[in-house]
Amino acid sequence: MKIIEKIRAAEAEDRCYWSFEYFPPKTEAGVTNLYDRMDRMYQLGPEFIDVTWGAGGVTSDVTLEIASTAQSVYGLETSMHLTCTNMPRIKIDIALREAKQAGIQNILALRGDPPRGQENWTKVETGFNYAVDLVKYIRQEYGDYFSIGVAGYPEGHPENDDKEIDITYLKEKMDAGADFVVTQLFYDVDLYLEWVKKLRAVGITAPILPGIMPIQNYGGFKRMTSLCKTIVPQFILDDLEPIKDDDQAVKDYGVRLAIDMCNKMREHGQKGFHFYTLNLERSTTLILEGLNFTARQEVVKKLPWNPSLAANREKETVRPIFWRNRPHSYIARTTAWDEFPNGRWGDSRSPAYGDLDGYGVNLKYPRDECLQLWGTPSKISDIYSLFARYISGDLKCLPWSESPLQGESDVLRERLLNVNKNGFLSINSQPAVDGALSSDPVFGWGPKNGFVYQKAYLEFFISPQALDVLVAHIAKHPYVTYYAVNANGDLKTNTKNDSPNAVTWGVFPGQEIVQPTIVESQSFMAWKDEAFELWRQWSTLYDDNAATKQLIEGVKDTYFLVNMVDNNFKSRYALYDILDSVTAELRGNVGH
């Protein structure tokens, strides 16, 4: 969706809105951690994010990767920066073509700074001199496909002594087809408000988003304001002087200052705000809390999972539950599908239903970090302990779970901890929910005034001996269905057919029942391959003759992957009671 359309909708509703800027990290691990941060900050409800572009496209591949991933995996409306610096026309053509192919509909068109080590900005052959030329070119080549933002300078461009001519240049960019303005950072609110008046006076009517950069530390603040030649009111310098050596005090002051700045602008009718996050999370979060800027539940949680904003997935409303903790993998493995299930999961006869393949299964973190996380387990109880540490929050991830346990699982944490200690190695779960309001902060999703439901679900690895006992116990519970499969594909189940089983659904005013999460056999078998491959990936961290490698490979080769559904959604703990009874029987057998 175009950013300008989202801005117009917010202003028509007379509500405040906000957006975040990120830059491409220099390392692969940094990119991975940024995705985690973006996923969490999605819950803050930005209308959009933007991702910066290095001079001459030096970060172009990473910029495009982050922008397209933010859009397709994390459901964040994304704008990609594009500069003229060291960019011949062929590079600009490639960037725009790849952005469109990735489903990105928003570009922030900039002239850009001189390359590092070069004092003056110079045009390259076949490139563009100014941002206005880039705006014109985008409109010429792509019509109105892209929503285009441009930069504004409340203090005037640092390279231009005539501050009034800057306004003329901005007017030219708007007349060339730009839709909205994002300003350079500033700290003098009065100067910004006066500048906005001047823009309106010359006929610039487009939305203007002030760029807010929270002060994170004193040294960084001084360097940034010096580099950008930013005017800093004397009272800010006076306030910072006695606390400049206390990083936490400076950060806290930066939060309070940003809140005060935004509130002053709000008093003068400002609705939109753009936060330069510096890829940091805490200060922006605290500022939004201080402003009482809260995301509407139906906006940040339209479905139990973040809907993709990729152009070819806009009608996707159903997903198998198995990839709940590895959404990046699911998006990548289904990216070639030309249509997606809408309302109910399609069966194997659908032309959209194909093998979930073509995606390289990888551990999330590099080898050294994985070893630091998981160590060198030497016996099966060590693996039990790793899974239990993840459940308790002492371990940030496992190969199958790329982020900490979701909030809704807090009600299950103690039971999950117990079953993992007993050798049921869980990788996915959800509690039963019987008609929670769609506005519920933990379980809610979808439009307001609705009710949401869930069946209890649990997925885990189990030894073949324990599986035999488990199957006998499940037979005593008519509401419980299960699938169990090993790495060789030997499948056991008590289901009577292959029809999808909806495990999450919602009832909302004026529309059909929505069933966004399902369990069904074909996608489970596809997930099985990935789930067991992750054991193998884990084992490759160790030398061939290492006891840890042999232990992990033994689990991969012998254990079963099991999923259980309690179809009585009014029962929260029946699955765990079954596993407790299995444990008791196994221990009794050992005692004899």
Side-chain angles (χ1 to χ4, degrees):
M1 185 176 183
K2 295 180 184 177
I3 286 171
I4 186 60
E5 294 173 1
K6 301 192 75 173
I7 291 175
R8 286 171 179 159
E11 294 189 341
E13 296 169 11
D14 196 32
R15 59 176 172 84
C16 290
Y17 56 94
W18 48 95
S19 52
F20 304 147
E21 179 176 290
Y22 301 99
F23 64 84
K26 294 181 179 179
T27 66
E28 184 177 337
V31 172
T32 297
N33 291 327
L34 178 61
Y35 288 148
D36 288 344
R37 187 152 289 175
M38 292 166 68
D39 191 25
R40 291 192 299 270
M41 295 180 76
Y42 173 96
Q43 302 302 320
L44 300 176
E47 290 296 325
F48 68 92
I49 67 164
D50 65 28
V51 184
T52 64
W53 180 274
V58 293
T59 65
S60 60
D61 290 345
V62 185
T63 294
L64 187 63
E65 176 199 334
I66 293 172
S68 60
T69 300
Q71 183 109 354
S72 63
V73 177
Y74 300 109
L76 289 158
E77 197 67 62
T78 304
S79 174
M80 188 180 80
H81 286 213
L82 188 58
T83 73
C84 302
T85 306
N86 282 353
M87 291 287 287
R89 193 162 306 186
I90 189 171
K91 278 191 173 184
I92 289 173
D93 287 337
I94 292 170
L96 290 170
R97 182 175 68 249
E98 291 184 345
K100 184 176 181 180
Q101 288 172 350
I104 295 167
Q105 276 197 279
N106 304 286
I107 298 291
L108 194 65
L110 309 165
R111 189 205 70 174
D113 298 321
R116 187 181 298 274
Q118 184 174 316
E119 185 174 350
N120 297 316
W121 194 92
T122 55
K123 170 182 173 290
V124 297
E125 186 176 357
T126 75
F128 297 117
N129 256 324
Y130 303 108
V132 64
D133 301 320
L134 180 55
V135 173
K136 289 177 180 177
Y137 185 72
I138 295 172
R139 287 290 178 234
Q140 171 190 312
E141 296 298 313
Y142 288 90
D144 65 352
Y145 174 80
F146 289 107
S147 178
I148 303 175
V150 292
Y153 300 87
E155 300 171 2
H157 195 283
E159 296 177 15
N160 192 353
D161 292 332
D162 187 344
K163 306 308 177 187
E164 298 304 317
I165 200 68
D166 262 347
I167 295 177
T168 301
Y169 291 155
L170 181 55
K171 180 69 162 60
E172 290 176 358
K173 288 189 282 189
M174 307 316 296
D175 291 344
D179 295 311
F180 62 95
V181 180
V182 178
T183 80
Q184 176 66 285
L185 67 97
F186 63 89
Y187 292 97
D188 189 330
V189 174
D190 290 331
L191 185 151
Y192 167 78
L193 294 171
E194 188 60 33
W195 176 75
V196 172
K197 289 180 182 177
K198 292 178 180 179
L199 298 189
R200 299 312 187 203
V202 300
I204 295 176
T205 60
I208 302 167
L209 279 66
I212 309 299
M213 182 176 287
I215 301 173
Q216 302 288 350
N217 61 74
Y218 186 75
F221 168 72
K222 293 292 286 185
R223 284 192 299 273
M224 183 64 73
T225 52
S226 174
L227 176 68
C228 298
K229 301 179 181 179
T230 305
I231 297 170
V232 181
Q234 188 61 42
F235 81 88
I236 296 178
L237 299 175
D238 294 342
D239 289 346
L240 286 172
E241 183 61 29
I243 61 172
K244 64 182 181 182
D245 296 322
D246 185 336
D247 286 348
Q248 188 57 55
V250 171
K251 192 181 290 279
D252 292 343
Y253 176 79
V255 169
R256 294 194 302 273
L257 176 65
I259 292 171
D260 291 343
M261 290 174 63
C262 292
N263 278 331
K264 186 171 183 178
M265 286 183 273
R266 289 171 71 186
E267 292 171 0
H268 289 78
Q270 183 71 46
K271 295 294 184 184
F273 301 88
H274 188 69
F275 293 95
Y276 295 111
T277 69
L278 299 179
N279 289 6
L280 301 172
E281 178 179 1
R282 185 172 182 274
S283 290
T284 302
T285 301
L286 292 174
I287 291 165
L288 294 179
E289 289 176 357
L291 293 167
N292 290 319
F293 284 179
T294 56
R296 295 168 296 162
Q297 182 80 359
E298 65 268 25
V299 172
V300 299
K301 209 166 181 185
K302 297 176 183 176
L303 292 167
W305 34 270
N306 292 2
S308 172
L309 296 182
N312 66 328
R313 308 184 81 104
E314 59 186 10
K315 294 182 179 180
E316 180 186 22
T317 60
V318 184
R319 286 185 188 174
I321 196 171
F322 314 118
W323 282 269
R324 185 185 191 200
N325 296 322
R326 287 175 61 83
H328 200 156
S329 170
Y330 182 74
I331 295 293
R333 295 183 69 170
T334 59
T335 191
W337 287 15
D338 57 1
E339 59 180 271
F340 294 87
N342 182 11
R344 289 177 178 81
W345 189 256
D347 64 19
S348 58
R349 293 166 293 183
S350 167
Y353 199 101
D355 290 335
L356 293 161
D357 56 16
Y359 177 67
V361 179
N362 295 297
L363 301 176
K364 179 176 181 179
Y365 295 103
R367 180 177 185 273
D368 289 347
E369 189 169 353
C370 289
L371 288 171
Q372 186 176 1
L373 284 166
W374 306 322
T376 54
S378 59
K379 52 188 182 297
I380 192 63
S381 59
D382 294 339
I383 293 181
Y384 295 179
S385 295
L386 282 175
F387 276 75
R389 286 180 55 209
Y390 170 75
I391 297 299
S392 64
D394 295 333
L395 196 61
K396 70 176 182 179
C397 71
L398 290 170
W400 305 267
S401 304
E402 296 182 339
S403 55
L405 207 63
Q406 296 191 25
E408 70 171 16
S409 292
D410 280 342
V411 299
L412 302 174
R413 195 178 297 269
E414 289 303 316
R415 301 300 296 266
L416 283 168
L417 190 60
N418 184 57
V419 298
N420 278 273
K421 289 178 178 178
N422 291 330
F424 306 96
L425 304 176
S426 69
I427 60 173
N428 199 349
S429 62
Q430 73 176 27
V433 175
D434 183 12
L437 285 171
S438 59
S439 57
D440 186 280
V442 176
F443 301 114
W445 54 271
K448 60 185 178 181
N449 302 323
F451 294 90
V452 298
Y453 300 82
Q454 292 182 175
K455 297 174 184 176
Y457 175 83
L458 184 61
E459 185 179 340
F460 51 90
F461 293 100
I462 186 176
S463 70
Q465 297 81 9
L467 176 62
D468 290 340
V469 179
L470 174 61
V471 169
H473 281 256
I474 289 176
K476 304 172 187 176
H477 296 266
Y479 290 113
V480 176
T481 52
Y482 79 94
Y483 289 94
V485 66
N486 61 14
N488 293 326
D490 301 322
L491 180 68
K492 301 181 180 183
T493 182
N494 65 348
T495 59
K496 303 304 181 185
N497 55 58
D498 290 334
S499 297
N501 182 2
V503 292
T504 307
W505 65 100
V507 181
F508 307 101
Q511 65 180 81
E512 292 185 353
I513 293 175
V514 181
Q515 303 175 37
T517 316
I518 56 96
V519 167
E520 60 86 45
S521 60
Q522 294 190 54
S523 54
F524 180 59
M525 294 298 284
W527 163 242
K528 173 269 298 181
D529 294 336
E530 184 168 331
F532 282 103
E533 171 63 14
L534 287 167
W535 282 106
R536 193 194 70 80
Q537 289 284 332
W538 185 7
S539 75
T540 62
L541 301 177
Y542 308 96
D543 294 337
D544 286 343
N545 296 323
T548 299
K549 184 182 183 72
Q550 295 172 16
L551 171 67
I552 294 171
E553 287 186 338
V555 173
K556 175 185 77 70
D557 292 340
T558 60
Y559 271 46
F560 277 76
L561 176 64
V562 178
N563 73 67
M564 296 170 63
V565 177
D566 184 356
N567 294 282
N568 178 6
F569 59 88
K570 295 180 179 291
S571 173
R572 177 160 288 181
Y573 299 116
L575 299 182
Y576 301 88
D577 293 339
I578 292 172
L579 297 185
D580 287 347
S581 65
V582 171
T583 299
E585 180 172 337
L586 290 170
R587 287 175 176 170
N589 291 340
V590 171
H592 287 90

